[in-house]
């Protein structure tokens, strides 16, 4: 039976809570592998190289692009972010469902390269709440918050290219809902061609 993992992209406006949902998924369930991205942005207080991100200089990042080490990369509010290829490939092969927490340009590039990628978009219940969350977490200055809100306007235009919209109203419910969506995908007929062929072959023997 088909054992390969599902590549899942989780995107959402900055401040939507997608990072918290992803952390909850990783903590609660065993079958996920979270891809750690490379970025040229500076670490925030409490962030560690190799945990939240691989923090790179612009030069190092350009080398990764040149050596074809990234599945995709994108520029977001004056910094580069990209998904290292090797980890994703090996985890999918081993049967893990791999989570990429990436913005929309990268998500669409991944979908183009791997059409069976599952695209999930996380949003807070209202845009007023989005602004409050961004201001409340206190990790960005007001100029960066403005840039991120402007960016949200652009990102909203791409939501209809996603497969599922997840409204982050209650965190615990959201984590379970996200898990259920991903696990249901394993049953999709188009993801089970090998199993279907096997069923047909076995039936021929009767
Ligand atoms: P932050 O600076 O808040 O950690 O991330 C900014 C944005 O970059 C978020 O929307 C995040 O999902 C996205 N991001 C993180 N890693 C990647 C990546 O590897 N590729 C792309 N395209 N976006 C990423």
């Amino acid at each position: 039976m088909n054992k390969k993992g599902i590549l899942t992209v989780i995107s959402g406006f900055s401040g939507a809570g997608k990072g918290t949902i992803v952390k909850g998924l990783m903590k609660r369930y065993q079958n996920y592998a979270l891809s750690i991205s490379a970025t040229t942005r500076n670490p925030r207080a409490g962030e560690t190289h190799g945990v939240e991100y691989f923090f790179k200089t612009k030069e190092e990042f350009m080398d990764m692009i040149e050596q074809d080490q990234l599945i995709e990369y994108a520029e977001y509010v004056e910094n580069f972010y990209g998904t290292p290829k090797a980890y994703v490939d090996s985890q999918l092969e081993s049967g893990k469902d791999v989570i990429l927490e990436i913005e929309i340009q990268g998500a669409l590039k991944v979908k183009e390269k791997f059409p069976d990628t599952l695209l999930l978009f996380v949003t807070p219940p209202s845009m007023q709440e989005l602004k409050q969350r961004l201001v409340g977490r206190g990790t960005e200055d007001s100029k960066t918050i403005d840039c991120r809100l402007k960016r949200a306007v652009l990102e909203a235009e791409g939501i209809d290219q996603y497969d599922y919209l997840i409204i982050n109203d209650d965190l615990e419910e959201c984590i379970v809902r996200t898990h259920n969506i991903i696990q249901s995908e394993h049953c999709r007929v188009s993801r089970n061609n090998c199993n279907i062929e096997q069923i047909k072959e076995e039936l021929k023997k009767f």
Side-chain angles (χ1 to χ4, degrees), residues 17-26 122 166 168 171 174-175 178:
K18 55 191 186 301
T20 319
I21 294 174
V22 168
K23 278 198 193 104
L25 274 182
M26 301 302 297
V122 179
I166 295 172
N168 186 4
L171 178 64
C174 249
I175 294 168
T178 305

Side-chain angles (χ1 to χ4, degrees), residues 18 37 41 44 53 72 74 76 81-83 101-103 106 148:
K18 55 191 186 301
S37 296
R41 99 152 152 66
R44 292 179 187 137
Y53 284 105
E72 60 74 38
Y76 178 93
Y81 296 79
T83 306
E101 187 205 322
I102 67 177
E103 55 65 71
R148 287 184 174 229

Side-chain angles (χ1 to χ4, degrees), residues 155-173:
E155 288 182 335
E157 293 300 316
I159 298 177
D160 50 13
Q161 298 189 63
Y162 279 69
D163 298 305
Y164 290 89
L165 181 69
I166 295 172
I167 297 174
N168 186 4
D169 39 10
D170 177 285
L171 178 64
E172 286 307 307
E173 272 181 30

Side-chain angles (χ1 to χ4, degrees), residues 1-2 186 191-200:
M1 294 280 154
N2 186 13
H186 280 283
R191 293 187 190 275
N192 282 278
N193 291 336
C194 288
N195 297 342
I196 295 165
E197 282 313 307
Q198 191 178 332
I199 289 167
K200 287 178 184 168

